[in-house]
Amino acid sequence: MRLAGWSLHPVRLPYRAPVEWSDVAEVSADLLILRLRAEDGREGASEGTAKPTWSGATLASLATVLEGVVLPRLLNRDLSAPGAVLKALARVPENATAKAMADAAVRDLLEEEGPSGELPLSWTITLKDPAAMAREAEAMVAAHGFSALKLKGGRTFERDLETVRAVRAAVGPGVALTLDMNGLYADGPALRAHVASLAAAGLTHVEDPTTLRPDEAFRRIQSACAAPIMVDAAIWSEADGATFLERGARALGIKPGRVGPSVTEAIAARATAAGAEVAIGLFGESDLGAGATWRLAARMPPGWPPAETSTFLLFDRPLTKEPPALRGGRVALPSGRAAARADWATIARLHP
């Protein structure tokens, strides 16, 4: 299978309400849709997030890299050959999101039907005061049946504990809770005492409490916490995942939007061999981009944390012709290629 052409479709997708992440407050998300066309007429699509503090890219810079660096290297290659995309891009440094988008779009070309059935998802509660986060947790569990929640933290130790306790009181003991501190704290004895308190308060995982490195400091903070420390922000390659696993990591958060589906699967295989867990995170934020992540997560071992790909609920409209529905915290896996599911008319109207 060889590539015949491509097109890029920038989107500015409004949120239903303003969203505050750890590093930025937003009223909309900038997304770039890549549409590939094969010589035999098949089409594939993928979605990338254009956020300078997350992907290191804007819509313009991401499009430039795809057009000028990444996609030309896929021409005149048999993309159905094993590892073809990774081999074609092996000599291209950096530009993780663009390479991940190419990998996912080619996979969409090749894979007409993926896994079937339903997949459990978690819901992420963005930064608000603890009482508001507890109300949202209660509402989302009641409305959609989520059995796992990720809470954003990292403001102060006291605020973290207040948030965890408020949410736990709101949703009861049966919902798994992860606190993501986005690496905002300095390492040291005070932080180790804090993560121990968080685990005692009923967290399932503690994610990125500080800037994690595969060193002695990582061993100390993991030893201090009864719950697994989830390593997320530091995972940008298969080598990163392997190094943390060698250091005894018990849980990794993998963002396919950073490393692509092929590397995600390679890291997950290493984690399985090491007896560690993996939480599959974002590829694209919309319902169109999330489908690629759902298919990846459906192939992971049972018992791992639910996929963190329910952000499509934050937006004021879908980007697919048949939007996904949640039942009991689970989403039905989409059938067919993303390029066929995409609502291209809506995508065109959202051009910024």
Side-chain angles (χ1 to χ4, degrees), residues 18-25 124-134 136 150-156 159-160 163 179-182 184-185 314:
V19 175
E20 185 176 354
W21 305 105
S22 64
D23 52 3
V24 66
T124 296
I125 301 178
T126 56
L127 284 169
K128 306 174 187 67
D129 68 77
M133 292 177 74
E136 180 179 332
K150 177 187 278 194
L151 316 176
K152 290 292 186 176
R155 287 174 167 172
T156 67
R159 192 69 165 269
D160 287 344
T163 298
L179 183 71
D180 180 8
M181 292 176 272
N182 290 106
L184 294 176
Y185 293 124
L314 291 170

Side-chain angles (χ1 to χ4, degrees), residues 11 31 42 61 67 137 183 210 227 229 231 253 306 311:
V11 166
L31 310 172
R42 284 180 288 177
S61 69
E67 290 274 15
T210 187
I229 299 293
V231 185
T311 51

Side-chain angles (χ1 to χ4, degrees), residues 19 22 33 35 38 47 87 89 109-110 123 159 173 197 215 236 248 256 272 280 303 310 315 350:
V19 175
S22 64
I33 312 299
R35 188 176 189 177
E47 176 187 307
K87 291 174 184 176
L89 302 178
L109 268 176
L110 297 173
W123 175 251
R159 192 69 165 269
S197 298
D215 54 15
W236 285 84
T272 300
I280 303 295
S310 54
F315 294 108
L350 291 169

Side-chain angles (χ1 to χ4, degrees), residues 175-202:
V175 177
L177 301 181
T178 295
L179 183 71
D180 180 8
M181 292 176 272
N182 290 106
L184 294 176
Y185 293 124
D187 185 35
L191 180 59
R192 293 195 289 275
H194 181 49
V195 298
S197 298
L198 290 169

Side-chain angles (χ1 to χ4, degrees), residues 6-266:
W6 62 76
S7 57
L8 298 175
H9 306 265
V11 166
R12 182 157 292 153
L13 187 57
Y15 291 117
R16 295 179 187 274
V19 175
E20 185 176 354
W21 305 105
S22 64
D23 52 3
V24 66
E26 298 178 314
V27 296
S28 61
D30 282 354
L31 310 172
L32 186 63
I33 312 299
L34 168 62
R35 188 176 189 177
L36 300 182
R37 186 179 72 259
E39 289 180 337
D40 63 3
R42 284 180 288 177
E43 289 191 331
S46 66
E47 176 187 307
T49 301
K51 296 185 179 183
T53 57
W54 196 90
S55 59
T58 64
L59 285 170
S61 69
L62 186 54
T64 297
V65 169
L66 282 162
E67 290 274 15
V69 179
V70 170
L71 296 174
R73 283 165 173 76
L74 303 185
L75 293 171
N76 301 316
R77 289 178 177 266
D78 179 6
L79 297 178
S80 62
V85 175
L86 295 188
K87 291 174 184 176
L89 302 178
R91 300 295 299 272
V92 176
E94 306 299 334
N95 300 302
T97 299
K99 291 190 285 188
M101 289 175 66
D103 188 17
V106 169
R107 181 171 292 213
D108 192 46
L109 268 176
L110 297 173
E111 183 182 65
E112 183 172 1
E113 290 296 334
S116 59
E118 293 184 335
L119 180 76
L121 301 180
S122 69
W123 175 251
T124 296
I125 301 178
T126 56
L127 284 169
K128 306 174 187 67
D129 68 77
M133 292 177 74
R135 289 193 297 272
E136 180 179 332
E138 185 176 23
M140 294 304 286
V141 169
H144 300 291
F146 288 111
S147 61
L149 302 171
K150 177 187 278 194
L151 316 176
K152 290 292 186 176
R155 287 174 167 172
T156 67
F157 291 169
E158 294 77 12
R159 192 69 165 269
D160 287 344
L161 274 171
E162 184 182 355
T163 298
V164 171
R165 288 167 177 162
V167 171
R168 177 57 73 202
V171 301
V175 177
L177 301 181
T178 295
L179 183 71
D180 180 8
M181 292 176 272
N182 290 106
L184 294 176
Y185 293 124
D187 185 35
L191 180 59
R192 293 195 289 275
H194 181 49
V195 298
S197 298
L198 290 169
L203 286 182
T204 308
H205 299 84
V206 176
E207 183 172 323
D208 285 349
T210 187
T211 300
L212 296 174
R213 299 181 178 87
D215 54 15
E216 181 61 21
F218 174 67
R219 186 198 64 78
R220 288 195 298 267
I221 197 167
Q222 187 169 238
S223 297
C225 187
I229 299 293
M230 181 79 72
V231 185
D232 178 46
I235 307 299
W236 285 84
S237 68
E238 184 178 353
D240 290 336
T243 304
F244 273 100
L245 290 169
E246 288 167 2
R247 279 286 181 171
R250 292 185 284 163
L252 302 179
I254 309 177
K255 298 289 193 296
R258 290 186 186 136
V259 302
S262 298
V263 173
T264 295
E265 289 178 338

